[in-house]
Amino acid sequence: MAAPRKPAEAGDLTPELLGTPQWTDQMVAAAGIPMYDVPFLTVGGGIGSFVTLDYLRIYGVPTGQMKVVSNIDHPWQTYEFLTRCSQIPRPERIRSDSSSRPDNIWGFPSYGLEEAWKEKNPIYLWQLLTEPILNDYWTPRAGTVFANLEREAKRIRYWDMLVKGQVRMVRKRAGGGYFTVVTPPEGAAPTKRIVFRSRFVHLAIGYPGLKFLPDLQEFRTKYSDYQHVVNAYEPHEQVYEFLKTRPGTVVIRGGGIVASRVLQRLFDDREKYGLKTQIIHIFRTFITGSHGPHIWARRKGGDGWAYQGFNYPKSVWGGQLKAQMRKLEGAERAAKYKEMGGTNTPKRRRWQEQMRAGRAGGYYHAVQGTVDRVEPTPDGRLVSYVRSSDGIIREPVADYIIDCTGLEADIAEHRVFADLLQYGGAYRNPVGRLEVERHFEVKGTASGDGALYASGSATLGGYFPGVDTFLGLQIAAQEIADDLAGRGFVRKMGPLRSTSQWFKWVFNSPV
């Protein structure tokens, strides 16, 4: 006989609430959970939430009509942590277009114009005019992005809307709208949970977590070694500090922008400190030249890498690909994603020179293969068993392995999305993430006159491909704001208000 279930304490989720897809006000009140009303609530508190609030504030929504629930203190906090771990500190440049400004919905003046003006450096203007033919794409410094986000957050009074806490779930409300269940910080509320009752909810909660290659995850779990097998998105400065003390070998896994940044850090340290570091770079797919399905859809490549200036072809943000994707459904859409997807990185001149020097000097070794397993050696190092396409097994030995393959993409790994898929009516799109409308409302989740929206990485595979980028988050925010205007929540912004608001942005005047 099963043990009786422990009753929920007052102010917490009850078995009835947990098992019911649609709640009534009486059910929440009976559980003793305090309810707070706010018309619009965004969940996440990262750049996706910030950009959406920025649009709505500029459209004219007052701060008292909106809240953002987050466990971080400022919108760029997680992004800055990830960029710093992946070897892009504030002085370095990120992979983003000059006019993709999450702090400026108009994109003008661009980051390039701003840096050229502030630093009195006309070379930036020449680079902008000649990219990418004579020069690399111009991209902003991480520090420039963060400083401008802070300026805009103060201007729109972001912190007046911030509620600290962890969102547990979002459930439909009988009669329309949604309940968002929040676990506030310990001691911040008299009960374990609080609930926000909203007509509109927006989800921008990013990636569920780190993703490791299966063989590396198995090694970390089996040997409890979290120091020598690391993910590029977690703190791993111990790798570079060790290499300053003695000659060592590092294995890099992955062929995207993060791998290129980690590789550049290793090259930079080698040059700066006169190190003897050996680098073994394992590519699962080794690109030898230009590739693609046809002449109009080809990507440059070589030496293992696929080269592309940005995550996707630029036309996905405002050209023929954007228009084409909005018309595709099901298998056709999935096939188009597969055609234009794939790991890639920008081809930057300085980094290319370092790789050529590494190959010529015998300290950078790029190999193709699939790693069967990783094992420790008797002297505490790591041996990878790498099977190449011709069947040959190589056994490179290294002091460290850095996994640069990315972040966790399965939306069900995040409890909010998992609950939404099970109880909220949401379902997966053709590539396995959250299916949304063209205006970013989550399909299947409508509740009376309310709407549930989502943007960011969780919606990749929808009608708009470039979702997990600065400009993509802004396009999603504009679609959401325009949809809210159509529902009467806010007035649609016309040219006169847009112009007046731009001047307010220029002079840093409060919204």
Side-chain angles (χ1 to χ4, degrees), residues 60-125:
V61 182
T63 57
Q65 297 292 300
M66 301 188 291
K67 293 292 181 189
V68 51
V69 181
S70 179
N71 62 352
I72 58 177
D73 296 319
H74 45 269
W76 60 94
Q77 185 172 326
T78 300
Y79 183 72
E80 182 171 13
F81 172 80
L82 294 173
T83 54
R84 189 171 62 247
C85 288
S86 57
Q87 306 312 303
I88 310 176
R90 284 195 169 218
E92 295 292 332
R93 298 190 178 277
I94 62 173
R95 185 187 191 183
S96 185
D97 185 66
S98 175
S99 60
S100 298
R101 295 193 57 154
D103 67 297
N104 176 353
I105 70 171
W106 303 271
F108 179 82
S110 68
Y111 284 127
L113 292 176
E114 178 184 334
E115 287 194 18
W117 174 261
K118 287 183 176 179
E119 299 177 24
K120 303 294 186 289
N121 191 345
I123 293 177
Y124 292 161
L125 301 179

Side-chain angles (χ1 to χ4, degrees), residues 35 191 218 221 293 309 383 415 431 458 463:
M35 279 184 285
T191 54
E218 181 183 352
T221 303
V383 58
R415 67 193 312 181
V431 302
Y463 299 105

Side-chain angles (χ1 to χ4, degrees), residues 379-397:
D379 61 354
R381 303 178 79 199
L382 311 168
V383 58
S384 300
Y385 294 86
V386 186
R387 186 184 304 274
S388 62
S389 56
D390 56 11
I392 296 175
I393 296 180
R394 297 179 176 85
E395 300 177 13
V397 177

Side-chain angles (χ1 to χ4, degrees), residues 274-402:
L275 307 182
K276 302 298 182 184
T277 305
Q278 289 284 319
I279 304 164
I280 301 169
H281 193 167
I282 302 174
F283 291 90
R284 184 174 55 189
T285 303
F286 196 92
I287 307 298
T288 57
S290 295
H291 55 290
H294 52 79
I295 191 172
W296 304 113
R298 294 185 67 77
R299 181 183 290 145
K300 293 181 179 180
D303 302 312
W305 304 87
Y307 295 122
Q308 187 167 280
F310 304 102
N311 304 52
Y312 285 97
K314 292 191 78 172
S315 61
V316 305
W317 288 281
Q320 68 269 32
L321 272 176
K322 182 183 179 185
Q324 185 179 1
M325 290 298 294
R326 289 178 74 90
K327 301 174 184 176
L328 298 180
E329 302 286 353
E332 284 187 319
R333 200 195 314 161
K336 195 66 178 178
Y337 268 97
K338 186 175 181 180
E339 177 185 308
M340 64 181 172
T343 304
N344 58 77
T345 192
K347 188 176 185 180
R348 291 174 176 160
R349 287 165 171 77
R350 171 63 179 150
W351 168 61
Q352 291 288 315
E353 292 169 0
Q354 291 177 316
M355 281 199 301
R356 282 194 293 271
R359 287 189 292 266
Y363 55 86
Y364 173 62
H365 315 272
V367 298
Q368 183 277 329
T370 302
V371 179
D372 292 336
R373 66 188 187 280
V374 176
E375 293 180 350
T377 63
D379 61 354
R381 303 178 79 199
L382 311 168
V383 58
S384 300
Y385 294 86
V386 186
R387 186 184 304 274
S388 62
S389 56
D390 56 11
I392 296 175
I393 296 180
R394 297 179 176 85
E395 300 177 13
V397 177
D399 298 285
Y400 291 93
I401 299 175
I402 305 178

Side-chain angles (χ1 to χ4, degrees), residues 101-176:
R101 295 193 57 154
D103 67 297
N104 176 353
I105 70 171
W106 303 271
F108 179 82
S110 68
Y111 284 127
L113 292 176
E114 178 184 334
E115 287 194 18
W117 174 261
K118 287 183 176 179
E119 299 177 24
K120 303 294 186 289
N121 191 345
I123 293 177
Y124 292 161
L125 301 179
W126 172 248
Q127 185 175 346
L128 286 166
L129 289 170
T130 58
E131 66 177 16
I133 308 300
L134 301 180
N135 278 293
D136 294 333
Y137 276 112
W138 194 97
T139 56
R141 291 188 180 92
T144 302
V145 174
F146 303 143
N148 279 286
L149 284 170
E150 182 174 4
R151 171 188 183 269
E152 182 69 355
K154 290 176 180 176
R155 195 179 76 88
I156 67 169
R157 294 164 52 199
Y158 173 85
W159 287 279
D160 290 355
M161 299 177 279
L162 176 62
V163 176
K164 293 299 289 293
Q166 189 77 43
V167 172
R168 173 67 176 81
M169 62 181 65
V170 179
R171 292 289 176 94
K172 293 179 181 178
R173 174 179 176 266

